[in-house]
Amino acid sequence: MLLGTSVRHALTAAAVTTALFASAAPGFAAERQPTARTGQAAQAGQTGQTGQAAQASQAGQTGKPGPYAQLHPLASLSAERLATADLVAAAKWGAGSPIDDPAREQVVLDTVRKQAVETGADPEATVRVFRDQIEANKLVQRELHRLWTADPSKVPAERPDLAEVRKEINRVNIALVQAIAGSATARSASYCRGVLAVSALQVRHEKQLDRLHFKALARAVPSVCAEQDSEDAA
């Protein structure tokens, strides 16, 4: 297994894994000049002795789920949600429907906001995460439609029932909201992006994601870390 080592060992490689993750979607890691923080992350990759690594290690020793246990489900469920994008793309292609569906998207956001309140998750953070999830799903759909336009022989022979596909999406959505509610500590910690990057790479390995779906996974999760949100707002 890629992550058979401790969270500390995972964090010592955070600088490398974040760079790999950012290669799929540069927007995940803020496109800015190197800062003291990035220098510290690189140093962590070399020495494994940073305060962030110690913080993550301590978090995993309190009897509560550790950072990886909190963040990996978010990456895994995001990949599950992205697996439905192929079916949605085929359904919309067969029906001649546009990829963008603002009314449906708003229903999703309103629904997860309500679920967040019911499960104790931050409603605003939940909506931010799901906006990214929706855009990631559409990224896959657009790429597949471009492929099918260029080569009609690759168009799926059967058109999925979009109503049935949405049942699966709704199931994953509920699980994602619950995962957001259960990961507040890790999502607000300074180590979040490093552990999330490692989690995404592990999910890529577990689910054998191709380049398109890994790129979409990177697009699906940038708002998971509250630290990222606060930096972008600064």
Side-chain angles (χ1 to χ4, degrees):
M1 294 290 290
L2 181 63
L3 292 181
T5 57
S6 66
V7 172
R8 178 186 293 275
H9 291 160
L11 282 167
T12 61
V16 176
T17 54
T18 302
L20 288 172
F21 195 39
S23 71
F28 174 75
E31 295 182 359
R32 53 171 69 98
Q33 293 298 318
T35 63
R37 175 173 296 166
T38 57
Q40 290 171 1
Q43 184 178 4
Q46 296 170 357
T47 67
Q49 299 294 322
T50 66
Q52 291 181 4
Q55 182 183 3
S57 179
Q58 291 169 3
Q61 295 173 7
T62 61
K64 299 179 180 179
Y68 178 74
Q70 292 182 51
L71 295 173
H72 181 271
L74 288 165
S76 183
L77 287 165
S78 295
E80 285 186 35
R81 197 177 192 282
L82 285 170
T84 68
D86 301 57
L87 298 174
V88 174
K92 290 181 176 179
W93 178 275
S97 301
I99 290 173
D100 289 290
D101 188 348
R104 165 64 183 173
E105 293 170 19
Q106 191 59 52
V107 168
V108 171
L109 295 176
D110 290 344
T111 300
V112 299
R113 181 187 293 274
K114 180 180 178 181
Q115 292 169 346
V117 172
E118 293 171 348
T119 59
D122 180 340
E124 297 304 322
T126 301
V127 168
R128 284 195 296 270
V129 170
F130 272 88
R131 287 190 192 280
D132 287 340
Q133 296 284 324
I134 289 169
E135 290 305 315
N137 201 287
K138 292 193 293 186
L139 185 157
V140 174
Q141 294 177 46
R142 291 191 182 100
E143 187 59 35
L144 290 176
H145 278 205
R146 280 195 289 268
L147 173 65
W148 299 339
T149 298
D151 187 354
S153 69
K154 296 185 181 297
V155 175
E158 297 183 6
R159 186 176 77 186
D161 183 340
L162 190 54
E164 291 300 315
V165 178
R166 283 175 173 168
K167 289 180 182 179
E168 172 62 12
I169 294 174
N170 291 340
R171 181 195 68 78
V172 177
N173 287 352
I174 292 171
L176 262 171
V177 172
Q178 292 171 341
I180 292 169
S183 60
T185 300
R187 288 188 300 100
S188 62
S190 59
Y191 53 71
C192 178
R193 282 182 288 179
V195 177
L196 182 62
V198 174
S199 299
L201 288 169
Q202 174 69 355
V203 167
R204 181 186 193 182
H205 171 75
E206 292 169 351
K207 298 185 181 295
Q208 295 296 296
L209 299 183
D210 60 22
R211 181 173 183 145
L212 171 59
H213 289 79
F214 184 58
K215 178 180 179 181
L217 178 59
R219 179 65 185 87
V221 298
S223 291
V224 164
C225 295
E227 180 196 30
Q228 178 71 54
D229 296 337
S230 62
E231 287 183 359
D232 289 345

